[in-house]
Amino acid sequence: MKVKSTSSKIKGILLVVATMLLIIAGCSKKTEKTTYQQVKNGVDSRVTYYYQDDKVVKQTTANKITYTSLRANDKNEAKDKIKDEVQKYNDTKGVTDKIAYHDSYLKENVTVDLEKASVNDFLKLTGDSKSADSSSKKKYISLEKSEKLIKKQGFKKVEDGKYKEIPKAELQVKKPLTMKQYNEINVEKDDQGGTTIAELKDKYGKPDSSSTSTYTWYTNYTHSGYLRVTTNDKDKVQNKFLLQPTVENDKFSPEKYNDINDEISEDELIEKLGTPYQVETSSTSGIIYYITKDTTGQRIQDEYAFQVENGKITGKKSTAE
């Protein structure tokens, strides 16, 4: 399945031959094969045609698809996004679609046996059957026309088994930061201390985005969760910010919020209420946010903020009040 937009992305590579003209002809018995590949936007697609003369008798597609390209945060979200298309393929005679899920990507192997598959059924998978010659009893997919189309789509013929690979940076496993990791990043205070940007790069790798003094590391594949720091002219952390909306928290409740008093420390707060939704920290102060969601679990219902100064809770405020 070639990834473009979430709905159309999922159909693509399997069906690259589906818009070919269907031609009446015979075929030889000798079966040969040729392979094409495209590596683009977090997707590695390798399409192999097995053919006899100009007739394609089988097509296999091996895809490596990053969760980032699917806009999924983990294998469960990825599975949910593609399940309908996978089922549709597997329900088509002569077509099999097998998926294996890994930490930051999935591997898909699609086989289309054109000796068994109905060409019309195969074309229906694209949502376009107009290219079929309904008056013909013997139909086949043309290798020549398939190659022209796949080249036009940006695929390159693979020579001598020399495949390209998705860059390692795009396969990097992204995990939420713990509060311990966040607190290990020191903000400079009174020209003292302060984690350097070089130290952060050494620990978390190259930032996913950066400007003159702002650096961002994503903590999930949809880029909705991230660690962001700003630095001063000495390249030391001046402010830090952590947002992780997809992290589950089964500790927090409005009742526990009401029980918190101003004498508690920041560490004690985290221990009682679990991982925050959002944290902002400067040299002397900060804000810690928790949230509740509505009955759908999709929208924020209320926010619960705690003011922090020098490691102590000094105030709190909630939109529910």
Side-chain angles (χ1 to χ4, degrees):
M1 295 178 294
K2 183 179 178 181
V3 178
K4 294 180 182 175
S5 66
T6 301
S7 58
S8 63
K9 286 177 180 185
I10 306 231
K11 292 184 179 180
I13 303 301
L14 164 63
L15 305 172
V16 290
V17 298
T19 56
M20 294 302 95
L21 293 177
L22 301 172
I23 304 170
I24 302 176
C27 65
S28 67
K29 292 183 179 180
K30 183 180 179 181
T31 301
E32 300 178 86
K33 69 176 181 178
T34 186
T35 299
Y36 287 81
Q37 182 190 30
Q38 184 182 67
V39 178
K40 185 178 180 181
N41 298 328
V43 181
D44 174 0
S45 294
R46 305 176 184 187
V47 180
T48 300
Y49 299 110
Y50 296 82
Y51 61 94
Q52 298 169 352
D53 288 340
D54 187 50
K55 178 183 179 181
V56 177
V57 295
K58 184 171 76 170
Q59 177 189 318
T60 62
T61 304
N63 291 325
K64 180 184 284 187
I65 305 175
T66 61
Y67 295 150
T68 297
S69 66
L70 283 175
R71 300 290 293 168
N73 282 312
D74 53 37
K75 68 178 183 180
N76 291 326
E77 287 188 15
K79 188 179 297 186
D80 186 61
K81 284 179 177 290
I82 67 175
K83 64 181 181 181
D84 290 341
E85 293 300 326
V86 172
Q87 187 64 49
K88 187 191 300 183
Y89 296 162
N90 286 323
D91 285 345
T92 302
K93 184 180 179 180
V95 180
T96 60
D97 189 351
K98 296 181 179 179
I99 311 284
Y101 295 90
H102 300 269
D103 288 338
S104 63
Y105 63 92
L106 63 85
K107 277 189 172 182
E108 176 188 41
N109 287 287
V110 182
T111 299
V112 181
D113 186 342
L114 290 164
E115 298 284 275
K116 296 179 180 179
S118 158
V119 172
N120 288 332
D121 285 346
F122 180 55
L123 290 173
K124 285 178 183 178
L125 292 176
T126 68
D128 177 16
S129 59
K130 294 179 181 179
S131 60
D133 183 354
S134 59
S135 64
S136 301
K137 293 183 179 179
K138 295 181 179 179
K139 304 173 183 179
Y140 77 87
I141 301 299
S142 164
L143 175 67
E144 179 183 357
K145 290 180 170 58
S146 295
E147 288 184 306
K148 285 182 180 179
L149 178 61
I150 204 169
K151 287 177 181 177
K152 189 176 181 180
Q153 292 178 337
F155 283 77
K156 304 295 183 182
K157 190 171 184 177
V158 177
E159 304 286 356
D160 301 321
K162 295 180 180 178
Y163 292 96
K164 293 183 178 181
E165 301 291 340
I166 295 176
K168 289 183 179 180
E170 294 184 34
L171 296 174
Q172 183 179 0
V173 177
K174 297 188 182 299
K175 295 182 178 180
L177 255 66
T178 64
M179 284 306 297
K180 179 180 179 181
Q181 290 173 306
Y182 179 79
N183 289 332
E184 287 173 350
I185 302 171
N186 296 315
V187 175
E188 186 178 51
K189 180 178 180 181
D190 299 328
D191 293 327
Q192 298 294 320
T195 300
T196 65
I197 193 63
E199 291 172 326
L200 286 177
K201 288 180 179 179
D202 184 61
K203 188 166 186 177
Y204 297 112
K206 181 181 178 181
D208 293 296
S209 66
S210 62
S211 62
T212 305
S213 60
T214 303
Y215 304 85
T216 301
W217 288 264
Y218 296 119
T219 63
N220 63 14
Y221 300 108
T222 62
H223 299 175
S224 60
Y226 55 86
L227 165 69
R228 179 172 293 157
V229 301
T230 58
T231 56
N232 55 27
D233 56 5
K234 293 178 288 184
D235 282 336
K236 291 186 175 182
V237 175
Q238 185 174 358
N239 295 281
K240 59 182 181 177
F241 178 91
L242 181 64
L243 174 64
Q244 299 191 122
T246 56
V247 174
E248 296 294 330
N249 181 335
D250 56 4
K251 281 189 174 183
F252 179 80
S253 69
E255 291 74 24
K256 288 184 178 180
Y257 165 83
N258 292 332
D259 291 338
I260 300 297
N261 57 51
D262 292 350
E263 298 176 359
I264 196 172
S265 70
E266 180 180 358
D267 290 341
E268 290 174 311
L269 177 75
I270 302 299
E271 178 64 27
K272 287 179 178 292
L273 300 186
T275 304
Y277 174 85
Q278 179 179 313
V279 189
E280 301 175 41
T281 308
S282 64
S283 59
T284 58
S285 64
I287 302 178
I288 297 176
Y289 291 90
Y290 291 88
I291 64 165
T292 56
K293 295 183 178 181
D294 62 14
T295 54
T296 68
Q298 302 299 314
R299 296 183 179 182
I300 295 176
Q301 179 170 296
D302 287 304
E303 298 179 1
Y304 301 81
F306 295 90
Q307 179 70 36
V308 181
E309 294 183 15
N310 298 315
K312 294 286 187 180
I313 305 303
T314 58
K316 63 180 184 179
K317 188 175 183 179
S318 167
T319 59
E321 296 175 348

